[in-house]
Amino acid sequence: MRAVLDEGAADQVVVVDNGSDDDSVAVLRRDLPEATVLALGMNGGFAVGANAGIRHTDADLVVLLNNDAEPAPGFVAALRDHLATAPAAVAAVTGRIVLAGRWTRLPAGAAAAPDQRALRDHDGHLWVPSPDGEVRLNSTGVRVDRAGNGSDRDWFAPADRVADTAVFGFSGGAAAIRRAALDDVGLLDESLFMYYEDTELAWRLRRRGWRVEYAADAVVVHDHSASSGVRSDLFVFRNARNRLVVALWHAPWPTVLRAAVRTLARGLRGLAGSSTRREARLVLAALADVVGHLPAHLARRVRQQRVASVPRGAVEPGA
């Protein structure tokens, strides 16, 4: 993960190496002499890396960029200019994230080849890389549904899709955040390790009266899940666990209940299919982990309620 500012728009560039065990730090220091390279001794997860970069600077505006994302020219300037003219209540601006490469949708019922990368859109269609395919969107911000599921808005939509400026949350892989907002609600939650950190921070911001907006002209190209893989054990477990945890901390009780029921149902259904048993066991393990630490999660919910200035129902997802 790295906090990056475009050359000419930057006061400081900070690159965080999150516990690499190869020559990454030496390469970064050689190839980026103008940047500050922070080498962490171990991989503490996305939030640990991001927060290290944020703490290393006192800039009024912090820009986050993933290591698997490549910014288009003017990316940071577009985020900075958007916040410069936005109302003071806008805490963060999320960029236009385009999927790397070109993609073709498979016919209904067709399956990808065993060695072929495939991604599924919100409607359940499979897409595979193809030289003569289409450029598609990864994200125009984060949305949260009534079951607490956080997802990329406009996932696999055409690259020229026009999206609303207002959005529930920002993508931590390509966004700008005001320092004043972070000072108000705190940094990313490091206990989540990976996934839902940006959504959790968006909840805290919204419960304090802050807003998030989208800037279409702040563009990055993203190699989706290049670091963790979309079906790795880490992805499946952390995604299921953190969705429940974030709902418990912040969402209205009906959303928490729907999130728990959805997770249990997914796990039980998966056990019935031979090809999905591994994922099912991971999902059920995530549910067990949340239940096992339920008192701590409920205590966090109480603490969040005490510092919030906006009722839960006023930011209810899916409303």
Side-chain angles (χ1 to χ4, degrees):
M1 174 271 155
R2 47 187 178 173
V4 180
L5 299 180
D6 292 335
E7 186 175 355
D11 293 318
Q12 187 177 12
V13 177
V14 180
V15 181
V16 180
D17 180 89
N18 213 352
S20 294
D21 56 6
D22 54 16
D23 63 347
S24 294
V25 173
V27 171
L28 288 169
R29 287 175 173 158
R30 181 195 68 204
D31 294 348
L32 300 173
E34 303 292 325
T36 298
V37 178
L38 299 181
L40 304 186
M42 61 179 291
N43 182 5
F46 173 83
V48 167
N51 288 346
I54 293 170
R55 292 188 182 104
H56 198 76
T57 174
D58 60 358
D60 292 336
L61 174 65
V62 176
V63 176
L64 302 179
L65 183 68
N66 268 6
N67 63 327
D68 53 6
E70 181 177 348
F75 166 70
V76 168
L79 294 174
R80 178 202 61 204
D81 293 348
H82 187 107
L83 275 177
T85 59
V90 176
V93 178
T94 193
R96 184 183 193 84
I97 306 178
V98 179
L99 282 168
R102 292 179 173 271
W103 298 82
T104 294
R105 196 179 89 178
L106 295 179
D115 60 345
Q116 188 176 34
R117 184 185 184 193
L119 297 174
R120 197 176 295 274
D121 64 22
H122 287 319
D123 296 322
H125 301 117
L126 278 178
W127 293 75
V128 297
S130 172
D132 57 352
E134 306 170 30
V135 178
R136 290 275 160 165
L137 286 174
N138 185 150
S139 176
T140 60
V142 172
R143 66 181 188 179
V144 177
D145 65 21
R146 295 177 66 85
N149 184 54
S151 61
D152 289 309
R153 186 178 68 169
D154 291 324
W155 169 249
F156 262 100
D160 59 355
R161 167 72 61 86
V162 176
D164 290 341
T165 299
V167 64
F168 183 91
F170 62 92
S171 170
I177 312 171
R178 294 189 200 269
R179 174 75 60 172
L182 294 173
D183 289 343
D184 183 35
V185 305
L187 301 182
L188 293 155
D189 190 285
E190 297 180 1
S191 71
L192 296 174
F193 186 77
M194 183 176 288
Y195 302 118
Y196 276 83
E197 305 96 331
D198 44 11
T199 304
E200 192 277 327
L201 180 53
W203 267 108
R204 277 186 277 142
L205 288 167
R206 296 180 72 88
R207 293 293 312 277
R208 288 286 296 171
W210 296 93
R211 305 202 311 266
V212 178
E213 292 188 348
Y214 159 68
D217 51 350
V219 180
V220 302
V221 177
H222 182 220
D223 189 0
H224 179 70
S225 290
S227 299
S228 62
V230 295
R231 283 294 174 261
S232 67
D233 289 0
L234 174 66
F235 176 91
V236 174
F237 177 84
R238 281 288 168 182
N239 195 59
R241 175 194 179 275
N242 291 354
R243 178 177 65 251
L244 277 171
V245 166
V246 172
L248 262 172
W249 291 352
H250 299 293
W253 282 116
T255 298
V256 177
L257 179 60
R258 284 188 288 265
V261 170
R262 169 179 173 161
T263 303
L264 178 61
R266 178 186 173 193
L268 295 178
R269 282 197 309 268
L271 290 178
S274 59
S275 63
T276 56
R277 286 177 186 168
R278 178 187 63 84
E279 288 190 16
R281 287 193 292 268
L282 289 166
V283 169
L284 293 175
L287 178 59
D289 180 272
V290 175
V291 173
H293 296 87
L294 190 58
H297 295 314
L298 293 176
R300 171 69 178 266
R301 182 181 179 90
V302 172
R303 292 196 300 272
Q304 292 299 150
Q305 180 64 24
R306 287 173 179 166
V307 299
S309 56
V310 176
R312 293 186 199 276
V315 293
E316 183 177 359

